[in-house]
Structure formats: C-alpha cells, structure tokens
Amino acid sequence: MFVTLPSQGLSQRPWVFPALVLVLVLILRRLVLSYSYRRKAHSNGCCPPPSSPDPTGRLGLFQIRKIIQAKKQRRLPNVFSSVFDDAGQGVHTIAHHVLGKKSYWTRDPENVKTILSANFSDWQLPAARVTAFNQCWGGGIFGADGHQWKHSRALLRPAFGRSQIQDIELIENHFLSLVKRIPENEVFDLTDLFPMFTMDIVTDMLFGETTGCLDPSKAEEGQKFASFFNYIMQRMSMRLSAPLLAMLPDFKLKRAVKFVYEFADYFIDGALKRRAGGRNVIDHESHPGKRKHCFLDEIATDGESAEALRGEMLSTMVAGRDTTASLLGILWWHLPRRPDILSRIREEVASLGGSPPDAKAMKDLKYLEKAVNEVLRLYPINPINSRTARVDTILPRGGGEDGMSPIFIAKGETVVFSSLAMHRRRDIFGEDAGILNPDRWDTKRPSTWEYIPFGGGPRLCLGQQLALLEVAYTTARLVQTFPSIEPIGGDVFVGQFAMALTSGDGCKVRLSRA
Ligand code: HEM
C-alpha cells in the first residue's frame, strides 16, 4: 500500500509551513498583547465595566436584533439610553459586543471630558469617519485628524469670528425668501423648507453666493444641487454604519460628487484669482449685491490648494446645514404642541413691537434661548459620537462593581459617547429629565461636560454661535409673522437618526397671519 509521509505532504504543499508559522506568530502576539494589557490595567487599578446583557455573549446578536427592531419601530434614539439602563441601575459605562468586536459606550461626563479634552491626544476619529469624509467631500476639517485637523482648525477659526450684525442681515434676507414659500392657511411640512433655508444660508456665508433653493427663479439649479448634496449625505451615512459598502462601485455617487465639486470649484477659482490679484473681498462692481466677506475669501490664503479649500468648504457645509435644519424641525414640531412654551416666546417677542430683532434684542430673548437649549438637551442633533484610542489609554470611571474604577482601553478600541443618554440622566437633570422644560435652565447649571450638544474641548463646534443665532432668530421672526400656528399630526414625537437626529414625522403645520 502507498503511504504519504507527512514530510512528503508538506513538500507538495509548500504554503503549509509558512501558514502554520504565521498562525503561531499571531497567537503568540495575541497572548503577549493580552498579558501586557492585563499588566497595564492592573498597575493602573483598572477594572472592566459591565457588559450589555446578551444571551449570545460576544456575538451580540441580541443587541443587533434590538437595534434593527428599534430602527423598524422608529425609536432608534431611545436605544442610546436603554443600552445603559438594561445593564443595571446607575450604570453609565458598558462594554458592548457586536459580532465578537468589543467597543465601549459611555454617558459619564468624566469619561467624555477625558476623551474630548483632558487626554485629547490619546484619541482619534474612527477610521470609517475619515474614509467616508475623504471619499464623499474630499477631506476637510470634519474628517481630519492630527496635524491636518490642527491646520484646518487654524485656517477656519478666524472666519467664524464675524459680527452678529453681519450674520443677522444675511439670515433676515433668507428668512424673507422662506416666508414667501410658506403657503398661508394650508397644511404643509416645515421640514421640507428648513433644509433649503439652511442650505441657502450656509452657501451664502461660505461662498458669498447662495444656492437659491428657496428662490423660485433659481429653484431648478438649487434643487439639483440640494438633491445631489442629499444623495452624498445619505451614502456617507450608509458608509459610516457599514464601511464595507465603500468598496462597491457607486456611479450615482461619483456623479453627485462631481457636480458638487464643480459648484465649489467655480467659487474657489474666483477666490484664488482675487487673492492672486491682491483682493480678498468680492468685487461689488462686477457682483452687485454680494457680500463683502465670505468664508472662502478669508481662508483662501497663499499656499492653500484649490482641493484643500474645497474640502474645508464642503466639510463646513455638511457640518452646518442639516444640523441647523434638524434643530429647527424638532423645535417647531414641539412649539405648536406646547402652547405653554409658545405663548411665553410670543410674549417675549412681542416686546420687539413687530420689528426684526437686532443683535442686542436677540440677547434679551432669554426664554427663547432657554427653549432652544432645552430642545438641544432632550434631542441633541448629534446624539452619539465616537473616538478610537490612538494609544493604550484609560477612562477614569465606569469599571468594577461600583462603576468608580478606571477602565483600560487598548490602542484601536472605540468608545461611543452619547450626549442624548447623558442629557437624559435623572441624577444630573432631575426627575423630570425626560420632559421638555425650558425653565429648568433657571436653576440648572450643568457643568461643561454634562451638556454637550456642540461637543467640547479642542474640537468644539465652530458654528455653535451661528447655529444658535440662526435658530433663535428664525423662530422669533416666524412667531412675529404668524400669529396662528396649528400643529397637524400626532402628539408623540418620533426621533429618527441617520447622520443627525431629526423629526421622523416631519413638522406639518398650518400657519396664518390672521
Ligand atoms: C444645531 C446646529 C449644530 C450642532 C448641533 C452642531 C454640533 C457639532 C458637534 C457635536 C461637533 C463636534 C463633532 C465631534 O467632536 O466629532 C461639531 C463640530 C463642528 N461644527 Fe457644528 N453643529 C451645529 C452647527 C454648525 C454650523 C452652523 C456650522 C458652520 C456653518 C458648524 C461647523 C462645525 C465645524 C466646522 C465643526 C468641526 C470642528 C472641529 O472638528 O474642530 N456647526 N458641531
């Protein structure tokens, strides 16, 4: 009988031996790493946090089902809180397993402070965010990290230091276009108009020229731009939740990206020419009526390439358009259903005697300010965010039986932090934390890290003041213009989440000037 000796088998399959060595090396590496992690964790007094309960253990199939069900039932944002509550009372940081991959979730202000500020340099953006931003928008601050981010931030920051007077003038112009598009005494959805409104504002501010989505004479062009922009946003959101999708060809995405790039490039080209000609403001003679200072002219400094400028402009546009539109949509879904809040805003706005508020008057609209802050507390537009550890590092709290021990986080592990879950903590905001109550801000002074609708630390939102002004000003003007505001539809708010938190049922209303 012919017998194959092992050595003969190996010589026929030369790859077997190297493969065995590779597997062995990987196992050894894993063992050495585990040992080193255990030692580092032990020497820093770290303990693991509780895990989200799942009968399938590290597979996390129960968790995946829960998320799919919540998405179907249109209550995904609730999961951001329940994931902690399910792990036990008073649990604010957990380990979360999905298909064998571990991440951490936290709603503890101390941990958020550590990630966003105290140990900022230990953390980086998750790779999926960087890739998605680069592929969809050609880079820019929102998807940049390390030195590249520092450069982007230094470039953009001064452009945000514009005067409120300038901003109000610009918002008022677009508000007048918004009002023209509102059909009086008819049921319509405000969330159809808000993204057009914020798109027109942000393009005007950034490029010195608006897409004109609200302007009927430019509507076709503006709509085309908006629909391509929306498509890119939608594909980016899918890529963020399923990064492997990025490997599939997507010709429509390519077309959309090309169109949006060409739009930006047209203005960038102009700005670079103005810069080369020694002028950094728009020529009023050849562009009558256009703004004097737009972002683009401020950031088109010597040495910035057209591609880099495009990335920054589009990135800022992404950061500023949907967020502000979503906040307006959620606020306006609630106002007509909360006559107690709406009537107090009306009273306050009535003190303006019908005139549009100027920068000083805006500062005096204190109740309106509280109402906006309160909506951002209960419905933060970015309800979850995450960072990946750049190096082995530590979170100060959440480990052990009492949740007070530090947690060891290995290089490459991701921590998701949820502003929504933190803003709804009863131990921070009181027993009525689940209720919209603007008056809580009379007594509640949350610490910087307990209230983070605009993030925090070195990457704090650059458009915070602008967004708050845009939302409060628009609300004051709408209230002034329409004495009658009738809500249409159910009374239970449904939050929807893709790239931002939005009102799942839109915001149908009937407005009247009488
Ligand atoms: C209600 C409206 C808005 C909300 C809730 C919001 C929220 C945020 C949050 C949470 C971050 C931090 C992201 C992170 O740390 O990963 C951020 C960053 C940023 N936001 Fe906003 N934002 C809003 C409006 C705006 C507007 C209107 C603009 C500009 C037109 C803007 C520009 C930016 C930029 C450029 C960054 C990146 C900052 C950096 O990475 O250094 N945002 N925003």
Side-chain angles (χ1 to χ4, degrees):
M1 203 190 345
F2 184 78
V3 180
T4 309
L5 293 173
S7 60
Q8 280 176 317
L10 278 179
S11 66
Q12 278 162 12
R13 295 186 204 93
W15 52 267
V16 171
F17 184 66
L20 280 175
V21 172
L22 183 67
V23 170
L24 208 66
V25 169
L26 287 176
I27 293 174
L28 265 176
R29 187 173 170 271
R30 180 83 233 138
L31 286 173
V32 171
L33 270 179
S34 299
Y35 174 71
S36 131
Y37 292 161
R38 272 204 304 278
R39 256 192 42 191
K40 281 187 192 169
H42 181 74
S43 62
N44 285 289
C46 296
C47 296
S51 290
S52 35
D54 195 316
T56 67
R58 287 176 170 253
L59 274 179
L61 299 180
F62 181 76
Q63 296 297 329
I64 297 176
R65 206 185 68 179
K66 209 164 97 177
I67 290 174
I68 293 174
Q69 273 179 350
K71 217 168 177 172
K72 265 197 203 148
Q73 293 162 0
R74 306 200 308 154
R75 46 175 193 81
L76 181 60
N78 295 352
V79 173
F80 303 146
S81 271
S82 68
V83 76
F84 297 100
D85 299 333
D86 293 350
Q89 215 193 352
V91 171
H92 303 308
T93 302
I94 54 167
H96 194 256
H97 295 91
V98 170
L99 300 179
K101 193 165 164 51
K102 179 166 65 172
S103 61
Y104 296 88
W105 281 59
T106 188
R107 57 174 173 182
D108 185 329
E110 277 305 308
N111 288 343
V112 176
K113 178 170 110 183
T114 301
I115 296 168
L116 292 184
S117 180
N119 289 350
F120 179 75
S121 57
D122 283 2
W123 301 88
Q124 60 191 12
L125 299 183
R129 172 163 157 187
V130 177
T131 311
F133 255 84
N134 281 333
Q135 286 177 345
C136 294
W137 304 107
I141 189 166
F142 220 80
D145 234 325
H147 290 302
Q148 203 190 339
W149 164 76
K150 261 191 194 153
H151 178 76
S152 298
R153 181 108 185 165
L155 188 69
L156 284 172
R157 208 188 147 86
F160 280 91
R162 299 147 33 103
S163 81
Q164 272 215 336
I165 300 168
Q166 253 186 321
D167 288 342
I168 286 179
E169 197 183 291
L170 184 141
I171 298 168
E172 172 68 15
N173 280 342
H174 294 288
F175 173 77
L176 296 176
S177 307
L178 173 74
V179 169
K180 279 192 200 140
R181 294 289 300 270
I182 293 179
E184 221 184 310
N185 281 320
E186 269 178 42
V187 175
F188 81 105
D189 193 338
L190 269 170
T191 55
D192 288 341
L193 294 182
F194 284 150
M196 298 192 205
F197 175 60
T198 54
M199 173 73 96
D200 284 354
I201 291 181
V202 82
T203 47
D204 200 354
M205 220 159 239
L206 293 176
F207 296 104
E209 196 138 341
T210 163
T211 32
C213 297
L214 288 171
D215 175 354
S217 69
K218 284 190 180 175
E220 200 182 320
E221 223 176 296
Q223 282 309 319
K224 194 169 173 193
F225 181 85
S227 85
F228 276 135
F229 185 92
N230 292 343
Y231 184 76
I232 305 176
M233 287 297 278
Q234 186 206 336
R235 301 315 284 180
M236 182 169 73
S237 156
M238 282 177 74
R239 282 160 184 237
L240 283 173
S241 44
L244 285 181
L245 274 181
M247 293 175 153
L248 299 176
D250 186 336
F251 297 109
K252 188 170 172 194
L253 178 66
K254 276 201 171 138
R255 247 195 3 261
V257 166
K258 184 168 176 284
F259 185 89
V260 170
Y261 278 16
E262 279 171 5
F263 170 89
D265 289 348
Y266 169 79
F267 295 106
I268 290 166
D269 198 36
L272 288 176
K273 282 188 183 134
R274 283 193 293 278
R275 165 67 53 176
R279 287 173 299 146
N280 69 349
V281 291
I282 292 178
D283 188 335
H284 276 260
E285 268 156 18
S286 54
H287 293 81
K290 293 294 168 272
R291 294 174 46 68
K292 208 169 172 200
H293 281 288
C294 65
F295 271 53
L296 182 53
D297 277 305
E298 291 205 28
I299 69 166
T301 52
D302 299 331
E304 285 307 321
S305 71
E307 287 74 32
L309 290 174
R310 187 211 289 145
E312 298 306 349
M313 297 299 280
L314 294 179
S315 197
T316 307
M317 203 161 144
V318 171
R321 187 198 79 155
D322 288 353
T323 44
T324 318
S326 297
L327 176 55
L328 274 166
I330 297 175
L331 174 67
W332 273 83
W333 186 94
H334 281 88
L335 288 185
R337 287 169 179 85
R338 287 292 301 272
D340 56 325
I341 299 178
L342 182 56
S343 61
R344 299 238 336 244
I345 294 177
R346 270 199 193 293
E347 253 169 56
E348 200 173 59
V349 169
S351 67
L352 302 168
S355 318
D358 58 16
K360 186 187 166 304
M362 281 308 300
K363 286 203 172 67
D364 294 337
L365 298 177
K366 295 286 182 220
Y367 186 79
L368 175 56
E369 183 186 321
K370 289 191 291 182
V372 174
N373 286 344
E374 179 66 350
V375 169
L376 275 170
R377 180 188 67 80
L378 205 50
Y379 306 105
I381 309 301
N382 301 91
I384 50 170
N385 201 341
S386 61
R387 294 288 193 267
T388 299
R390 197 192 295 271
V391 290
D392 292 345
T393 186
I394 282 164
L395 290 181
R397 278 203 313 221
E401 296 261 298
D402 60 359
M404 295 312 283
S405 302
I407 301 171
F408 175 75
I409 308 288
K411 175 182 173 181
E413 286 183 329
T414 293
V415 178
V416 176
F417 48 97
S418 172
S419 52
L420 183 140
M422 192 159 79
H423 293 177
R424 293 179 182 197
R425 275 180 58 171
R426 287 201 289 272
D427 58 330
I428 298 178
F429 286 94
E431 281 309 306
D432 68 344
I435 291 168
L436 200 69
N437 171 21
D439 284 327
R440 83 174 67 249
W441 295 91
D442 288 338
T443 46
K444 179 67 197 166
R445 295 270 176 273
S447 78
T448 317
W449 299 102
E450 288 172 341
Y451 179 69
I452 50 162
F454 293 99
R459 289 196 87 132
L460 178 72
C461 173
L462 278 169
Q464 173 174 357
Q465 297 312 327
L466 173 63
L468 291 173
L469 177 70
E470 216 172 308
V471 171
Y473 185 88
T474 308
T475 299
R477 294 289 286 127
L478 280 173
V479 164
Q480 274 181 328
T481 313
F482 298 102
S484 159
I485 300 166
E486 186 192 334
I488 307 291
D491 279 340
V492 178
F493 180 76
V494 175
Q496 190 168 294
F497 176 66
M499 283 291 289
L501 186 66
T502 52
S503 162
D505 289 328
C507 178
K508 293 198 184 67
V509 285
R510 194 186 339 250
L511 302 182
S512 151
R513 289 173 195 259

